[in-house]
Amino acid sequence: MKLFKKTLLAAALSTAAAGAFAMTPMQDENLAQVSGQDGVSIGANLNVNIGEFKYTDTDAAGGSISFYNIKTTGLIAATLDVINSTTYNAILAGVGVNLGAMYNGVSDVVQIAIPADITVADKRVLLSQSIAAVKMGGNYSTAAGADLVQAANNLNPSFGSFAMNQIDLRGTTAWIWAH
């Protein structure tokens, strides 16, 4: 009997506690009065390396081109916010853009922005991208234990290398919406 009373008491207390934390629906007019922090900020120091990117033409004449040791490095920061249609329509009007049938004019929009006011003391920390070698044909990614660029250099002539340094994206904004 004593165990039964304790079990009953524990059940009553847990039920009361669960009810204290239950979510309750809010009416739209009450929800409009709620304020808080919105959006997300993202910062990253990128160090991306891709051994090989290969494009293959599958028609009868065929052929392929490979890009080796693709590197992307540097800092990037962005904010993500959901903005309403009124705000987005004002942005579009301010820059003189009409998206026609692409944007319905009434849906919310996800805004991704790279802030313009980020201070960069050393331009070398900005994004940079390089491709060590661009070669025609061949599949060098299967070269057992061999460096991909060295294997490519031994087989096919090169178009050379490619680099974009100090890519400054500050002030860039992109928007995403469903349709």
Side-chain angles (χ1 to χ4, degrees):
M1 185 68 160
K2 204 176 205 183
L3 178 62
F4 176 73
K5 287 181 183 178
K6 286 183 181 180
T7 304
L8 185 60
L9 179 61
L13 288 174
S14 65
T15 301
F21 296 108
M23 295 179 66
T24 58
M26 293 180 70
Q27 298 300 319
D28 283 345
E29 55 273 0
N30 294 335
L31 191 56
Q33 303 303 317
V34 176
S35 65
Q37 184 73 28
D38 66 344
V40 175
S41 296
I42 299 171
N45 183 15
L46 300 178
N47 188 14
V48 180
N49 295 298
I50 301 169
E52 177 185 19
F53 171 80
K54 181 179 178 182
Y55 169 76
T56 302
D57 186 354
T58 58
D59 68 8
S64 65
I65 186 168
S66 294
F67 302 83
Y68 295 95
N69 289 344
I70 303 166
K71 296 181 184 201
T72 302
T73 59
L75 298 175
I76 190 165
T79 61
L80 288 122
D81 292 292
V82 176
I83 59 175
N84 62 34
S85 61
T86 303
T87 302
Y88 185 56
N89 286 322
I91 291 169
L92 293 177
V95 295
V97 174
N98 181 353
L99 296 177
M102 283 182 57
Y103 177 64
N104 64 15
V106 296
S107 64
D108 289 349
V109 174
V110 176
Q111 176 176 278
I112 303 167
I114 299 173
D117 61 352
I118 294 174
T119 302
V120 178
D122 184 349
K123 296 248 186 233
R124 291 177 294 178
V125 301
L126 292 173
L127 284 178
S128 293
Q129 186 168 39
S130 64
I131 300 172
V134 180
K135 300 282 188 163
M136 290 301 294
N139 183 357
Y140 310 109
S141 63
T142 59
D147 177 71
L148 293 176
V149 174
Q150 186 60 44
N153 285 339
N154 292 337
L155 296 172
N156 285 348
S158 175
F159 286 100
S161 61
F162 178 82
M164 293 186 301
N165 296 315
Q166 300 175 7
I167 303 167
D168 192 345
L169 299 173
R170 291 176 288 180
T172 300
T173 303
W175 299 276
I176 302 170
W177 63 87
H179 53 91

